[in-house]
Every structure is written in structure tokens, then in C-alpha cells.
Amino acid sequence: QVQLVESGGGSVQPGGSLRLSCAASGSIIFSRNPMAWYRQAPGKQREFVAVIRGGGGTNYADSLKGRFTISRNNAENAVYLQMNSLQPEDTAVYYCSTAQYGLNYWGQGAQVTVSS
């Protein structure tokens, strides 16, 4: 099976930056898989953040484009999310996900807290 582990979460002041990492392992053809980030804020539904496909194409939630950047390193089986100009409304648990052979996989989540 596939395992995904997020890291890099933490607490930051408004306007600050964080870089999340997601390491994939197990039976995965990483370079062919789309890798995505989602987030879930307290009391809200989980929402899409960004995706990067095997060919390198990316998509972002409209409200986040320009502040967040997704990237991947296939040699390391890792995907990253650079988050800049963070605001309190960005506070959420951020989840890494992928799809392979028709199955979806999720990490455990990384807490991001933005407060003054």
C-alpha cells in the first residue's frame, strides 16, 4: 500500500510563511501520480488547495493562487507546499493526498496555525 506523511506544520504570525512536505512510500509509482493538498479548518468542510500532476501541471484554489506554490521532487518521492503571506483564515489541518490504481490515499495531516 501507499503511505503519506506530512511534516512542516506549526504556528506562525500573520504575514509569515511555512513550507509543508509530504513524503510518499510503499507501492507507489510516484512520478506518475498526481499529488494534492487539501485543508480543513475548524467547523468547515475540507477544501481543495492545490494539485501537481505527474507531468508537472498545477492547479490551485482561486483564493490561494499567488500565495501558495506546490512542487514535487520525484527522486525523493516528495511533494511540497510553500505558503506565503499566511492569514488567520489559513489556519487548518493540511492533508497530502494521491491516487493510484483507482484508489485514494491520505496522510495524517499537519496542523497550521496562523495567529497574532
Side-chain angles (χ1 to χ4, degrees):
Q1 59 184 37
V2 176
Q3 298 86 41
L4 302 173
V5 180
E6 300 96 339
S7 62
S11 182
V12 66
Q13 293 182 332
S17 298
L18 285 173
R19 184 174 184 259
L20 301 180
S21 298
C22 174
S25 61
S27 184
I28 184 171
I29 308 173
F30 185 84
S31 64
R32 300 183 183 179
N33 287 9
M35 301 295 300
W37 290 95
Y38 289 75
R39 69 183 184 182
Q40 187 166 23
K44 299 182 68 176
Q45 300 269 43
R46 181 163 54 189
E47 66 176 342
F48 170 77
V49 172
V51 63
I52 183 166
R53 298 174 177 83
T58 60
N59 290 98
Y60 298 88
D62 288 343
S63 63
L64 302 177
K65 190 172 184 177
R67 295 195 297 122
F68 288 16
T69 302
I70 189 170
S71 62
R72 67 193 298 160
N73 185 331
N74 291 338
E76 299 293 333
N77 284 7
V79 63
Y80 309 97
L81 184 68
Q82 178 67 45
M83 304 182 292
N84 298 325
S85 301
L86 286 164
Q87 299 299 313
E89 55 265 35
D90 296 316
T91 295
V93 177
Y94 285 71
Y95 297 93
C96 178
S97 71
T98 190
Q100 182 170 279
Y101 305 131
L103 299 176
N104 297 321
Y105 298 88
W106 296 87
Q108 295 298 114
Q111 178 68 52
V112 172
T113 301
V114 185
S115 65
S116 58

